[in-house]
Amino acid sequence: MIKTLILLSAFLIASLHAQDSGADNKRPTLYPFDVTIGGQKAVMQEGNILFAVIENPVKPDALLEIEQQAPMLIINAFKVNEKGEVMQPGQQPAIIFARNTQSTKLDATMDKQQLQAGRYLANIVANGTTSRVVFVVEDKSGKFKVPSLKSLVDYLKKKQ
């Protein structure tokens, strides 16, 4: 719980910092820098200012890349259900820390566990700003049901 609050606080501070520092007003506040996962660049979809989306599923060990090197790259990914809601309120996110880099693999989590198949909402913090990205980790078993993007956007809009 405390770790989650600290990470959310870092996210809010980074967002405010981006606004205060005169960040490029053409870019959404919640996507100040580009993110690529598994070779796919996250894209802001029309009418959605909450997060960028990786269109196709990625492998659990996919490479996540940002535009430029960061002294500290922090990623926290929350698994969301078919409706776009966080799977378990208060759940511990998958957390990845990397120093002096512009890339890291999704399986470099602090707990050394691969991300399970499913949809994730990730906050990627680098160089004082945070980009929000939704992506799906592929499911070879076919049991995972991908929630609609609309349900995820509607859920996140309610939370703001």
Side-chain angles (χ1 to χ4, degrees), residues 26 153 156:
K26 295 176 186 174
V153 170
L156 291 173

Side-chain angles (χ1 to χ4, degrees), residues 41-63:
K41 187 174 180 180
V43 177
M44 293 299 296
Q45 297 182 333
E46 189 174 328
N48 175 16
I49 61 167
L50 299 174
F51 51 82
V53 176
I54 298 291
E55 189 168 334
N56 298 310
V58 300
K59 295 180 187 271
D61 64 347
L63 185 65

Side-chain angles (χ1 to χ4, degrees), residues 1-5 7 76-79 86 88-95 110-111 120:
M1 179 76 169
I2 292 175
K3 288 181 183 179
T4 301
L5 290 174
L7 290 171
N76 60 67
F78 295 87
K79 195 166 187 184
V86 173
Q88 299 170 1
Q91 74 173 311
Q92 190 66 24
I95 301 170
M110 287 182 57
D111 64 5
Y120 290 83

Side-chain angles (χ1 to χ4, degrees), residues 16 46 59 77 89 95 101 108 116 135 139:
L16 291 173
E46 189 174 328
K59 295 180 187 271
I95 301 170
T101 189
Q116 297 175 349
F135 64 95
D139 176 25

Side-chain angles (χ1 to χ4, degrees), residues 78-113:
F78 295 87
K79 195 166 187 184
V80 293
N81 67 15
E82 292 175 27
K83 296 177 185 174
E85 301 166 334
V86 173
M87 293 291 278
Q88 299 170 1
Q91 74 173 311
Q92 190 66 24
I95 301 170
I96 301 169
F97 290 107
R99 292 184 170 275
N100 300 315
T101 189
Q102 69 184 81
S103 65
T104 188
K105 288 195 163 204
L106 291 179
D107 63 356
T109 61
M110 287 182 57
D111 64 5
K112 308 293 185 219
Q113 300 294 313

